[in-house]
Amino acid sequence: MKAPVGSKLTERDVTPEAIYLNRRQYLKASAVGAAALMAPALKASEAAPSVDPAPLWLQSQNKQASSSPFSTTEKLTPYEYVTGYNNFYEFGTGKDDPEKKGQDFKPHPWQVTVSGLAEGTGTFDLEDLLKGLAVEERIYRLRCVEAWSMVIPWLGVPMAALLKRLKPLSSARYVAFETVYRPEEMPGQGSFFAAIDYPYVEGLRMDEAMHPLTLMATGVYGRSLPNQNGAPLRLVVPWKYGFKSIKSIRKITFTDRQPQTTWEKANAREYGFYANVNPAVDHPRWSQAEERRLPSTLFASNRVPTLPFNGYADAVAGLYQGMDLTKYY
Ligand code: MTE
């Protein structure tokens, strides 16, 4: 694993984001601010661009986001880490590859194909798929299986609202997701040394997918998703390890069989279908009892204990009642 983007540390790392953003707006509006923005100390603020490249309909849907009672009040992980320290193997396995090599990817126009056990199958323009669905801001912890974590202000629609409009049949017990396959825009997919099989695939049990915490994200930090975070549409399941949160979703399939998932195919002993965050079940090669909350440096590792279901146990533990979580990891 590569070193975190410590060199990008800014004042934002010690300033609550809301205060920071307000101040930034103020600075932008003033002549002093214009000069100050050019000063090296504030240069990294340009990393949070005010220009949103997404189509206007998506920008406007995201801008109307309401806040959610499901949001945590924990300190946000700075924008530079959320968008500069990523796992998106389609663009390379380095943490900074997705930001560096993801810029030629074109997330618009975008279509999603829905198939399997549902009435609403077909291929839909993203705009039609999302039309009329209310976007919420959900500030969630994201816990990667690699034992680092972030606190991320997502924008998105409750997955239940999206899936309901596709009218799944009662025989649908699982929903499978697939990332777009575009080796010409995603260098990792065409690489001879590809670490995993493409397209990336994931899946959830229907009750997990319909759970109120499960989000189909369309944005982050008040803007549409950058490519490296899974533009234009990605899953967010906050009580599961981050690899369940599949990016750049192109296909949704309702099925009665547990779908195969990319990491299970790559190494079933190390990565299971359920992947619920669980400090009591170690990864075969490392402990899951603690995590590094980013930003984390050599001198301030910022280790915090990992919580069962990533701190969402009250809301989701009931989904797994009676299941042996050491077996269904
Ligand atoms: N989705 C695709 N298509 N490809 C990936 O490599 N990586 C997963 C997940 N979704 C991945 C993916 C992993 S391991 C994590 S931890 C999260 O995305 C990281 O999301 P983030 O980069 O937005 O923090």
Side-chain angles (χ1 to χ4, degrees), residues 86-90 144 179 200 229 234 242-243 245-247:
N86 299 99
N87 278 335
F88 200 168
Y89 278 24
E90 284 85 337
C144 179
T179 295
Y200 195 99
N229 293 92
R234 58 96 51 91
F243 65 83
S245 291
I246 179 172
K247 297 176 170 181

Side-chain angles (χ1 to χ4, degrees), residues 61 133 163 195 229 232 281 290-291 311 324:
Q61 210 161 335
L133 296 178
L163 295 188
N229 293 92
V281 176
E290 288 187 345
E291 63 207 53
D324 178 355

Side-chain angles (χ1 to χ4, degrees), residues 24 28 48-52 223:
R24 186 164 161 258
K28 268 178 97 177
S50 51
V51 178
D52 188 335
R223 301 172 187 79

